Amino acid sequence: MNHSRRKFLQISAITATVLVNNNTLFAQDISKQNHKSTYNSYKNQYNYMQGDVDKHGRFKDYDIWTNDGIVTRENLNSSYLQLSTDKPDFRPRSETTQSQHSIYMYEKDRLLYPLKRVGNRGEGRWERIDWDSATMQIAQNIWSLMVDSDKGAKSILVQVGKALMGESRRASGVRFANQLGAVLKENRGQNEEIKLDELYGEDLIVLWGYNPMESNIPDAHFIQESRYRGAKVITISPEYNQTARCSDLWIPIKKGSDEILTINLIYEILSSDSQKVEATRYNKSDLKEYDSRFTQQLTSISPMVVKKLAKEMLDSKKTKIICGNGYKSQQNIGYLKSLLGIDDKSAQKDIFQFLSDFDGRYRARVDGDFEQEMAIIMASSIYNKKPKEFKAEFLDRVKFIACIDTKMSESAMQADIVLPAQSIYESWDIYKSQNSTDKLLYSKPAVELKNIGASKDEWSIFAKIAQNLEFIANKTENLEFSKPEDDTNYTTSGFHDLSIFYQEYTNRDDLLNPLGDDELAYNLIKKKMDSGVVTADVQSKKVSDMESIPDLKQSKPDFPYSFVFKKSKWSRGVNYSASTTLLRLQRGEPVAVISVMAAKINGIKDGEYIRVFNDKGEFKVMAKVSSSVPFDCVIMQDGWENFMFTQRAGYSEILSQNSENYVNIERVI
Amino acid sequence: MKKRQLAMVIDLNKCIGCQNCTVVCKTMWTNKKGKEYMYWNSVETIPGRGYPKNWQDMGGGFNADGSLKDGKIPNMEKEYGIPWEYNHDEIMSAKEFKPEIKPTWSVNWDEESGGGEFPKDNYFFNLPRICNHCSKPSCLAACPHDAIFKREQDGIVLVDMDKCQGCRYCIAACPYKKIYFNPMLSKSEKCNFCFPLIEKGLAPMCASDCSGRARFVGFLDDVDGQVFKLVKRYRVALPLRADFGVEPNVYYIPPFESPPKYNSKNEIVEGSDRIPMDTLEKLFGQEVFDAIKTLRNEKKDGKSELFNLLTAFRHEDMFRVGVDVS
């Protein structure tokens, strides 16, 4: 076969040469050709995918194509006004994980029906139950705790994840927590107010522990376009990532030494005679031990580089310094910015608060140390990136856990009742764009979209729990207990009236009625935003004092490699960590990235399996050998769930309560 | 009908390796049985082995004398990697979630691994690839059944599904290995440049949805278009592996600004480039030296038309698909 093919190719080569030379390689008039099958198959495929245009749904900047009630794909269709003709516009605003949701939403890990645990927690034995039964059990647990004067609302946790939800869906859980006076925990991104389009026009952009080329993909183009305009981009990060690659200078800082470099820079800036430096209460002699000659060992950065960085900052007319999650302390960097006269704005208010509050009548507990016995976890990966002790303690203490999620996540796996939620293409929601347009976006399910299992949107789910709670409270034998007392910090009347709980929860006829017309709600909110009623208080921060100066003496860790999390561009938290489409764009399973030198020293080859271990525990993972990471780091993306690792033991095994974790590695034979 | 050629220019400085192009192509065209391993669009990391693995060493294309160069059909397991499936339905039973076969290779295996020594001169960049819709397509020349044709009106190369007999000579002959065998249909399939969209005057999805705004699409004879200007006027957009002899129609703006290297004292080596020129020369030929020189000179200018063009202030300016210059 191989021989004949070669022979054929030799013969056909002569033919091809003749054809090419005669310029007859092009097909003749296409209309005379019979390529119907090709045309029809691809056009039919396109038309099938597109389905009925009149029935399309919407999700932010995407049209959601459906055919016969099934989502076929998401098709980008964004419209943004160009804010200025000399600034690039915002389109296309596409994102990798988003572009495959249409496939993943039908994956077999979707939760289809309410489930009740019948085995031990985490054992994976479930019984299918109906919505009434599931929500009644949750309501009963809430009731029991609320009417127990020793426990009350403070013993109930409502954990609201950011997940992929917008402001409306998120508000359903927050409102429920407010009304109960429960303990509310929310996972909200730290960098939500970073607007990358505002970088366009700056002369110097310093990206510190921030990797927008992987964590803010839709707006990352503004950085390269800023460079095309003449801006200098400097990235400070331990590893050479996509953002470092797209920079004019990359400063490979030793993991965890950002604050040392910050003070080092402050020292250099104070040492200059630049007029730019604003009056300060410190002078260079206060910080002399932070001379870069003394700090190089801690930061790995040579004095020459620090001086250059300081000079760039002093010489630049317009500078922006953006610190990402990789930079822990904000105080000293704020002081550095103030020193340079860099305007550091921050939005102070949750502009969608009005969706979930009760005009101050009820308020959830957001601060303080409370011991909860019950938890409602809504789209939150509560155990991810936490030490295993956290999970053990939580499961030991919290006697009843209800989890609302779209798929069988690690959080759902440990729950007592699991409630299936709709995914982002299946219900209404409201979002604000993370750029200067402050555009209000929405999601809207397609017309006649077939429901996946018995899943529901979160407003309906909480309304159903509220309805059952109200039902319990109105039972004759319960009526006298239906107004449990609480601190007036959390309810202005001094009690939560459970007998009208459903009525109060759903009474949002002015803005958002979970059982009503969401399009009307969207339009009302948009009107409020357009008229300026709902705006964030943008404040300029001036930091006049430094935080306590870090000790330069570093204790030597017991293990040689710093274990570092990298924000996953593939899973957005844990949300898409089980997507086949996206896993095939990685290595199909969790990987730990190690340096070429660490691989050599430990006799590890790319693709082999390693033990990552310390005195707390260990886990097994595939090694990826890379020239882009420092010798002393083991880097993992942060979206992996425990059940994706061998024996369901993931990186929780080696994490400690401290923020810094050190490990060793060893090849698994 | 006048013969015309659509082309794509990809700015490698703006490509951030997000693979959104790969995913939108996958959801539109290859999300079906038999096509799991097909990536009509892929984004590789350079240095890296690519997809299929080591495709640059698999032959195909034309010899200098115009004869077809012998080529290899990639091995499914070793060079594409069998597309693994998962036990999603077992997650709720507390089973380990894992691929059914051990992953050995895939489309983005070498992501960000790079080359060089950290932190002195390590480097990487991304290389998006689609079918090049070549002006001298060796796949077409190798097909014994006349099943591959090139459209006159836009130069898009397509497989005639009626005529294709699944002999796979086209796969051996394509030097870019961007034509795939569909085992379910026993036919070859490849990027169709989203021709149903082109016929509506719209750009291919990999270009219109490119998050980094890195891809321009237009006709090579449209003198007012960005593609013409980048390829013909400024000559900063270069074909990939022109030495394969197939006259590809996807062009690349080479990466021309990488962070400087460090010396052994961790001091900046001023004026140095992390990306070795021989790497770029291998991919884009000797012309890359002039292209980079032009890019750097124009950027110094500050008000360069070239950089306004590469910035693309309005997204729609990146695509001139429906222009008729006849």
Side-chain angles (χ1 to χ4, degrees), chain A residues 254-491:
Chain A
K254 194 174 168 69
K255 165 83 175 66
S257 67
D258 305 86
E259 250 199 298
I260 308 282
L261 176 62
T262 308
I263 301 173
N264 204 168
L265 276 169
I266 292 170
Y267 171 82
E268 290 296 340
I269 286 164
L270 291 175
S271 302
S272 76
D273 52 3
S274 171
Q275 299 296 311
K276 189 174 179 177
V277 179
E278 298 198 349
T280 170
R281 52 172 295 189
Y282 295 94
N283 60 54
K284 67 175 186 177
S285 60
D286 295 331
L287 307 170
K288 62 174 185 273
E289 62 180 316
Y290 289 87
D291 181 314
S292 44
R293 284 168 299 176
F294 307 130
T295 58
Q296 182 176 7
Q297 202 185 345
L298 296 173
T299 62
S300 300
I301 303 168
S302 87
M304 174 252 206
V305 178
V306 183
K307 284 182 199 304
K308 183 179 170 69
L309 179 56
K311 187 172 182 327
E312 294 282 3
M313 287 176 172
L314 288 165
D315 291 350
S316 160
K317 290 191 180 114
K318 289 182 80 183
T319 305
K320 266 272 188 327
I321 301 173
I322 300 181
C323 298
N325 293 341
Y327 191 101
K328 303 285 181 229
S329 167
Q330 298 297 317
Q331 174 93 11
N332 292 343
I333 196 76
Y335 181 76
L336 172 69
K337 290 180 193 174
S338 298
L339 202 60
L340 292 164
I342 298 171
D343 199 14
D344 201 17
K345 289 178 183 167
S346 66
Q348 297 294 315
K349 190 173 143 190
D350 174 3
I351 65 167
F352 291 97
Q353 194 181 326
F354 66 97
L355 287 172
S356 54
D357 71 9
F358 289 82
D359 298 325
R361 192 150 43 96
Y362 297 128
R363 209 165 62 81
R365 290 159 160 85
V366 290
D367 301 312
D369 197 14
F370 301 105
E371 295 269 299
Q372 301 93 43
E373 289 190 23
M374 172 187 175
I376 301 177
I377 301 170
M378 170 181 165
S380 180
S381 52
I382 189 167
Y383 313 113
N384 191 37
K385 291 203 290 182
K386 299 263 176 60
K388 57 185 173 186
E389 291 83 356
F390 169 84
K391 183 173 162 188
E393 189 276 329
F394 185 84
L395 293 177
D396 185 51
R397 173 167 48 85
V398 182
K399 307 297 179 215
F400 181 83
I401 303 172
C403 184
I404 302 168
D405 213 331
T406 56
K407 60 172 187 167
M408 186 50 86
S409 60
E410 189 73 32
S411 300
M413 184 65 74
Q414 308 297 335
D416 302 294
I417 297 280
V418 175
L419 302 175
Q422 290 176 329
S423 85
I424 49 176
Y425 291 175
E426 296 153 51
S427 72
W428 264 90
D429 207 346
I430 294 159
Y431 306 81
K432 187 169 84 66
S433 64
Q434 298 294 328
N435 54 43
S436 299
T437 62
D438 286 336
K439 193 171 168 176
L440 196 63
L441 304 164
Y442 64 92
S443 61
K444 178 176 102 170
V447 178
E448 294 168 15
L449 182 68
K450 286 178 183 160
N451 210 46
I452 298 181
S455 59
K456 290 180 185 292
D457 70 278
E458 289 82 356
W459 276 108
S460 302
I461 294 171
F462 277 108
K464 210 151 178 45
I465 300 170
Q467 200 169 21
N468 281 322
L469 184 57
E470 185 177 294
F471 173 79
I472 294 167
N474 281 297
K475 283 184 179 175
T476 315
E477 66 273 24
N478 290 340
L479 263 178
E480 63 175 305
F481 307 109
S482 66
K483 291 184 175 59
E485 289 180 7
D486 197 2
D487 191 307
T488 50
N489 281 331
Y490 307 108
T491 165

Side-chain angles (χ1 to χ4, degrees), chain B residues 303-315:
Chain B
K303 288 178 185 165
S304 157
E305 186 214 16
L306 173 58
F307 277 89
N308 283 343
L309 207 146
L310 287 171
T311 298
F313 291 97
R314 295 187 319 154
H315 187 236

Side-chain angles (χ1 to χ4, degrees), chain A residues 154-184:
Chain A
K154 65 180 184 303
S155 62
I156 300 169
L157 168 71
V158 178
Q159 174 106 17
V160 178
K162 187 171 186 315
L164 308 169
M165 289 183 301
E167 299 299 337
S168 168
R169 294 178 72 168
R170 186 191 130 260
S172 63
V174 177
R175 183 173 170 81
F176 195 86
N178 277 335
Q179 195 178 345
L180 278 180
V183 180
L184 173 66

Side-chain angles (χ1 to χ4, degrees), chain A residues 5-6 8 13 17 27 35 38 43 89 91 94 96 99 228 242 245 250 413 578 588 624 627-628 647, chain B residues 11 15 18 20 27 66 68 70-71 86 88 91 96 111-113 126 142 152 159-160 199 209 213 262 316:
Chain A
R5 178 173 59 81
R6 196 174 297 125
F8 165 77
T17 312
H35 299 304
T38 299
K43 281 194 171 170
D89 68 8
R91 290 168 296 160
S94 49
T96 319
S99 300
Y228 280 178
Q242 283 286 359
R245 179 181 80 74
W250 162 56
M413 184 65 74
K624 181 172 175 178
S627 294
S628 305
Q647 296 182 337
Chain B
D11 184 349
C15 173
C18 69
N20 189 53
T27 58
L68 273 168
D70 199 6
Y86 291 89
H88 285 94
I91 294 177
E96 277 174 35
E111 183 190 19
E112 293 185 21
S113 289
N126 295 107
E152 280 196 342
V159 180
D160 185 325
E199 289 172 4
D209 287 19
R213 296 156 60 100
Y262 287 98
E316 61 262 38

Side-chain angles (χ1 to χ4, degrees), chain B residues 34 53 66 97 105 112 115 117 125-126 135 142 144 152 154-155 174 180 183-184 201-202 218 232-233 240 246 276 319:
Chain B
K53 191 198 247 179
F97 173 76
W105 193 254
E112 293 185 21
E117 185 186 338
F125 64 92
N126 295 107
S135 295
E152 280 196 342
D154 49 26
C174 172
Y180 300 85
M184 300 294 281
L202 300 170
K232 303 268 170 98
R233 186 176 300 164
L240 177 67
V246 291
F319 318 113

Side-chain angles (χ1 to χ4, degrees), chain A residues 69-71 101-114 131 405-406 420-426 449-457:
Chain A
I70 304 291
V71 174
H101 184 82
S102 55
I103 301 175
Y104 186 56
M105 66 187 277
Y106 293 109
E107 195 50 91
K108 287 179 183 167
D109 58 351
R110 267 300 289 260
L111 290 167
L112 301 177
Y113 306 100
W131 275 104
D405 213 331
T406 56
Q422 290 176 329
S423 85
I424 49 176
Y425 291 175
E426 296 153 51
L449 182 68
K450 286 178 183 160
N451 210 46
I452 298 181
S455 59
K456 290 180 185 292
D457 70 278

